[in-house]
Amino acid sequence: MRTSTRISAVAFAGALALTSLTACGDGSTSASGGKNDKVKIMVGGLDKVIYLPAMLTERLGYFKEEGVSVQLLTEPAGVQAETALVSGDVQGTVGFYDHTLDLQVKGKQVESVVQFSQAPGEVEIVSNEAAGDVRSAKDFKGKKLGVTGIGSSTDFLTKYLAVSNDVKTSEFTPVAVGAGQTFISALQQGSIQGGMTTDPTVATILDKKLGKILIDMRTPEGSKQALGGLYPSSSLYMQTEWVNSHKDTVQKLANAFVKTLKWMSTHSADEIAAKMPADYAQGGGTALYAQAIESTLPMFTTDGVMPADGPATVERVLKAFNPNLKNAKVDLAKTYTTEFVKKAS
């Protein structure tokens, strides 16, 4: 499904949910007796397993249970989802936590309110043709490497892997190829020699024998090996001003997402896959999709709480290559809050 089609389909589905939740008007009540709140959330790829809690929460009925009407929208890259938040088109973004640091030094105050994961969930893939020449990040020099978008978290992480292995960011070419079929096509056609992507794209590439895993960051152990520590990534982040003026609504969202994270920790990959839309398997079938979820599950937190040392790892990674952050003072305490998830727990 093309991105534009999926956006329309998700928006329509969100509109239907919005209609059903607010059929009694703006004063309709939830099971808990409170008024339904309306929130738009942009996701940096709804069908990516790393952002699975967004749609899963909808499918489990937890938004409705908490009395919040959520419209889920999708963009192919986190940087585009970030733009939608900053422009005020949406109230929340499901994307990588590292954007909160990048935005702070640009004068925009946003914060993670629910931390979905403690590892990137990303994989650096290399095509079969290039596998002989690219055996580690030291071999990125002179290569074209796929990222979801320029300025996206895949772009950030690729640059870090390069510079930490003595390859300058000017010595390789990042290519914005999105995810899913567009990434796979670029790899097949030789437009890129490798790139960073997530499941289910990873599972599909391996199943079709189109490439090999070079660096795997889908687990806390993989994150520590590649990045030197836990790397909090997928999260619900929002503008701080909006959070402070809508605390009741944010609490409902946190309650719903924490319920989902706990549910995920007590159910199998097959059970999770069965709850998700069929087309999220990207044509690979239910079994392959469940396998993709199984590979990525270790990255998720069970309580939505930010890992204690995670923000410092993210700051160190970003400062290694980002000139905007390198000499900037970042107030990490303002990039996330645990206020809502601790109440939810």
Side-chain angles (χ1 to χ4, degrees):
M1 183 182 293
R2 291 188 178 91
T3 299
S4 59
T5 304
R6 176 166 292 127
I7 292 173
S8 298
V10 173
F12 179 69
L16 287 179
L18 186 64
T19 301
S20 64
L21 284 171
T22 59
C24 296
D26 290 339
S28 61
T29 58
S30 67
S32 60
K35 288 185 178 180
N36 281 305
D37 301 308
K38 302 176 185 178
V39 179
K40 289 182 181 179
I41 296 177
M42 185 65 78
V43 185
L46 259 174
D47 58 357
K48 295 177 184 177
V49 177
I50 57 171
Y51 299 142
L52 181 148
M55 181 55 76
L56 183 57
T57 303
E58 172 70 29
R59 304 283 281 197
L60 291 172
Y62 290 157
F63 290 137
K64 183 177 181 179
E65 191 174 292
E66 288 296 327
V68 58
S69 178
V70 174
Q71 184 178 4
L72 296 173
L73 304 171
T74 188
E75 285 283 5
V79 66
Q80 293 162 328
E82 169 200 294
T83 300
L85 178 71
V86 173
S87 65
D89 293 335
V90 297
Q91 290 74 53
T93 292
V94 170
F96 268 40
Y97 160 72
D98 53 22
H99 289 287
T100 67
L101 281 73
D102 187 53
L103 285 170
Q104 186 182 112
V105 299
K106 295 175 180 177
K108 305 292 184 181
Q109 191 60 55
V110 301
E111 59 188 15
S112 165
V113 295
V114 183
Q115 193 60 47
F116 295 164
S117 61
Q118 55 189 337
E122 303 281 355
V123 173
E124 185 69 27
I125 289 277
V126 61
S127 69
N128 291 332
E129 292 74 17
D133 296 328
V134 185
R135 295 186 176 87
S136 74
K138 293 180 180 180
D139 302 317
F140 283 180
K141 187 175 182 179
K143 302 300 185 294
K144 293 181 179 179
L145 302 175
V147 297
T148 52
I150 304 303
S152 67
S153 295
T154 52
D155 186 30
F156 291 166
L157 289 171
T158 301
K159 287 175 177 174
Y160 174 76
L161 292 175
V163 299
S164 63
N165 283 276
D166 299 320
V167 178
K168 298 176 182 178
T169 58
S170 60
E171 292 179 321
F172 71 94
T173 304
V175 183
V177 294
Q181 191 53 52
T182 55
F183 184 99
I184 294 171
S185 295
L187 198 68
Q188 286 180 298
Q189 294 167 7
S191 302
I192 57 174
Q193 285 76 56
M196 190 170 293
T197 191
T198 62
D199 277 309
T201 306
V202 174
T204 301
I205 290 171
L206 297 179
D207 183 63
K208 294 183 176 181
K209 296 179 172 53
L210 300 175
K212 306 178 188 302
I213 291 178
L214 189 68
I215 300 168
D216 194 339
M217 296 179 286
R218 291 177 291 184
T219 65
E221 293 73 25
S223 177
K224 290 175 182 178
Q225 183 175 354
L227 306 174
L230 293 179
Y231 193 94
S233 57
S234 56
S235 65
L236 170 68
Y237 66 82
M238 313 178 88
Q239 295 203 53
T240 300
E241 183 179 0
W242 198 91
V243 171
N244 291 338
S245 60
H246 296 79
K247 288 200 170 188
D248 288 345
T249 302
V250 176
Q251 187 63 60
K252 292 176 183 179
L253 291 170
N255 292 345
F257 280 126
V258 170
K259 285 180 184 177
T260 297
L261 292 169
K262 290 183 181 298
W263 188 93
M264 288 170 60
S265 70
T266 57
H267 289 75
S268 69
D270 287 326
E271 291 171 316
I272 296 170
K275 290 288 184 181
M276 301 299 288
D279 67 318
Y280 280 24
Q282 295 184 359
T286 304
L288 188 62
Y289 183 52
Q291 180 184 320
I293 293 174
E294 180 71 29
S295 298
T296 307
L297 272 178
M299 72 177 278
F300 293 106
T301 68
T302 61
D303 54 11
V305 175
M306 175 67 73
D309 298 330
T313 300
V314 173
E315 182 181 28
R316 175 177 53 77
V317 166
L318 294 182
K319 285 192 172 186
F321 66 87
N322 190 323
N324 293 329
L325 277 96
K326 190 168 186 178
N327 298 313
K329 172 64 177 176
V330 179
D331 189 344
L332 292 177
K334 292 182 178 180
T335 62
Y336 71 96
T337 177
T338 59
E339 173 187 351
F340 303 99
V341 291
K342 288 188 173 180
K343 288 180 180 177
S345 298

